[in-house]
């Protein structure tokens, strides 16, 4: 999980993080997102919406072993965040590789 935090930090520093399910879904539709991360405690409805949209638009996604509060902390927010979209190709590809190993 520490490696994923590092890559999310790189994406955040480069301005390549979109937080929140509605914003991420719009970014997936617009082709702006390379990878989507879903918190393990995201609601079933949110998980279904995000995974369906990512599958339809051929965007890689993964459910992390972090809860929404941890995901929010990774991007410097004190509020929970159930869904993150990563737009930076290099770090996002690394996150996808790490998720596929788990």
């Amino acid at each position: 999980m520490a490696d994923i935090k590092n890559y999310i930090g790189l994406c955040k520093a480069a301005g390549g993080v979109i937080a929140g399910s509605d914003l991420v879904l719009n970014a997936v539709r617009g082709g702006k997102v390379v990878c989507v991360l879903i918190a393990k405690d995201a609601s079933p409805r949110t998980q279904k919406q995000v995974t369906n949209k990512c599958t339809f638009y051929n965007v890689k996604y993964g459910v992390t072993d972090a809860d929404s509060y941890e995901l929010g902390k990774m991007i410097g927010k004190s509020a929970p965040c159930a869904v993150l979209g990563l737009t930076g190709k290099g770090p996002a590809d690394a996150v996808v590789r790490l998720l596929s190993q788990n």
Side-chain angles (χ1 to χ4, degrees), residues 3 8 18 23 28 31 34 36 43-44 48 50 59 63 66 75 78 87:
D3 290 332
I8 291 174
I18 300 170
L23 294 175
V28 168
V34 176
V36 175
S43 72
K48 182 176 176 168
V50 172
V59 173
V63 177
I75 60 168
S78 59
T87 61

Side-chain angles (χ1 to χ4, degrees), residues 14-86:
V17 174
I18 300 170
S21 59
D22 290 338
L23 294 175
V24 170
L25 289 173
N26 286 335
V28 168
R29 280 186 211 106
K32 298 176 184 170
V33 176
V34 176
C35 168
V36 175
L37 300 175
I38 305 166
K40 68 179 179 183
D41 63 344
S43 72
R45 180 177 182 256
T46 298
Q47 285 188 15
K48 182 176 176 168
Q49 279 183 324
V50 172
T51 57
N52 287 348
K53 194 66 66 182
C54 287
T55 301
F56 182 81
Y57 286 98
N58 199 24
V59 173
K60 296 177 181 169
Y61 65 90
V63 177
T64 67
D65 45 341
D67 64 21
S68 56
Y69 287 96
E70 291 172 315
L71 220 62
K73 284 182 185 177
M74 286 183 203
I75 60 168
K77 294 189 181 249
S78 59
C81 179
V83 181
L84 286 181
L86 305 179

